Amino acid sequence: MPPETQHGSHLPDPGQAVYGISVAADLAGIGVQTLRLYERHGLLTPARSDGGTRRYSGDDIARLRRIATLAATGVNLAGIARILDLEDANATLHTDNDRLRGDNTALRETRSETAG
């Protein structure tokens, strides 16, 4: 199914890297040099085209906005990196926990079906 139909709009899938560096910086409300600085510090790793051009996704733009918000509150780049790592780990744990709850429910249902 095309992303337009899937998301109900003409926007690309959030994980699809389609934006160039100047568009990404503009959408995130930061300068291109600031974006490059964030990359050098490992806060963001954009996809690359076959020719080596940086390409950013909607997910990357959201991450850039989060970085900019943290920087605006006075958090240094090392602190931002740690916060992002913890947020990513927390999101992964939530996903895993949801999956495990679903697995547990399915096992209980299977057990009750075979017992009854």
Side-chain angles (χ1 to χ4, degrees):
M1 183 182 304
E4 299 84 28
T5 307
Q6 194 175 17
H7 297 287
S9 72
H10 295 287
L11 295 174
D13 182 271
Q16 185 179 1
V18 296
Y19 304 108
I21 191 167
S22 60
V23 173
D26 189 48
L27 289 171
I30 61 174
V32 172
Q33 292 304 318
T34 302
L35 196 159
R36 287 187 175 124
L37 175 70
Y38 294 162
E39 285 180 34
R40 277 195 303 274
H41 284 272
L43 302 177
L44 181 74
T45 305
R48 297 277 182 160
S49 70
D50 291 339
T53 304
R54 292 173 175 93
R55 290 288 175 211
Y56 300 86
S57 67
D59 291 339
D60 291 331
I61 304 302
R63 188 172 181 92
L64 283 168
R65 287 178 179 154
R66 179 69 177 133
I67 293 166
T69 299
L70 291 167
T73 64
V75 180
N76 66 27
L77 295 181
I80 291 172
R82 185 67 180 135
I83 289 168
L84 293 175
D85 286 345
L86 290 169
E87 288 176 346
D88 290 344
N90 192 33
T92 299
L93 289 171
H94 277 285
T95 300
D96 290 347
N97 200 15
D98 290 343
R99 181 186 49 78
L100 290 169
R101 278 193 182 110
D103 291 350
N104 196 14
T105 300
L107 287 170
R108 284 184 178 151
E109 289 172 358
T110 301
R111 186 188 314 155
S112 68
E113 289 170 4
T114 57

